[in-house]
């Protein structure tokens, strides 16, 4: 897909791409944070918690990204303001995800939330700026 071809795509398809990339980013970030924390052998209790909570985590991130207007702008106009929105919305979503874990009685080490937040923020920011660069 070349840059010129992507510009001709309808807006709804571009937004669908952004949401899809964000879903994959959250999935990779939180699974990757478990791998970083525990190595190749993730304890069963954390793996089962991951399987239970990953869909709500993804929904939380998507909701916060939407609330912060990350799906209103298009990749051609991504800027530092967009990255700031990614950072702030990722912090809010990470805190909400951690609170969800407390409410449902599942526990992750705090490092999982920090790493998950950081990796999601980097991946979400990258997918928005990579096209423009």
């Amino acid at each position: 897909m070349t840059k010129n071809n992507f510009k001709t795509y309808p807006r709804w398809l571009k937004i669908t791409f952004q949401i899809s990339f964000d879903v994959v980013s959250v999935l990779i970030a939180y699974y990757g944070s478990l791998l970083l924390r525990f190595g190749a052998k993730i304890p069963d209790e954390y793996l089962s918690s991951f399987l239970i909570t990953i869909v709500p985590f993804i929904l939380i991130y998507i909701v916060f990204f939407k609330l912060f207007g990350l799906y209103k702008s298009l990749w051609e106009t991504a800027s530092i303001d967009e990255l700031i929105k990614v950072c702030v919305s990722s912090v809010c979503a990470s805190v909400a995800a951690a609170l969800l874990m407390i409410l449902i009685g599942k526990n992750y080490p705090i490092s999982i939330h920090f790493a998950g937040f950081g990796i999601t923020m980097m991946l979400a920011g990258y997918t928005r700026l990579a096209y423009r660069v």
Side-chain angles (χ1 to χ4, degrees):
M1 163 180 8
T2 66
K3 189 174 184 179
N4 292 334
N5 289 341
F6 192 76
K7 285 183 180 182
T8 62
Y9 287 10
R11 182 176 177 81
W12 67 267
L13 186 58
K14 292 178 185 179
I15 292 170
T16 302
F17 279 144
Q18 279 185 330
I19 292 171
S20 299
F21 287 135
D22 290 339
V23 166
V24 171
S25 295
V26 174
L27 181 66
I28 289 171
Y30 278 89
Y31 188 72
S33 66
L34 286 169
L35 288 174
L36 286 172
R37 174 70 167 82
F38 297 111
K41 181 65 177 136
I42 301 170
D44 290 338
E45 67 181 278
Y46 296 117
L47 192 54
S48 68
S49 292
F50 171 79
L51 295 173
I52 292 169
T53 60
I54 192 60
V55 171
F57 279 19
I58 289 169
L59 293 175
I60 288 169
Y61 273 89
I62 299 302
V63 166
F64 275 100
F65 285 1
K66 173 106 172 108
L67 289 173
F68 280 85
L70 292 176
Y71 299 123
K72 288 181 183 176
S73 63
L74 299 175
W75 285 326
E76 295 91 3
T77 61
S79 65
I80 295 300
D81 291 338
E82 182 100 356
L83 284 181
I84 291 170
K85 288 179 186 179
V86 168
C87 292
V88 174
S89 62
S90 293
V91 167
C92 293
S94 180
V95 169
L99 290 174
L100 173 68
M101 293 291 288
I102 292 169
L103 288 175
I104 65 172
K106 301 289 182 186
N107 293 320
Y108 279 154
I110 194 71
S111 61
I112 302 299
H113 292 290
F114 281 114
F117 148 73
I119 296 168
T120 301
M121 184 180 59
M122 287 187 297
L123 291 174
Y126 175 76
T127 59
R128 284 165 173 75
L129 290 182
Y131 177 79
R132 182 163 180 185
V133 172

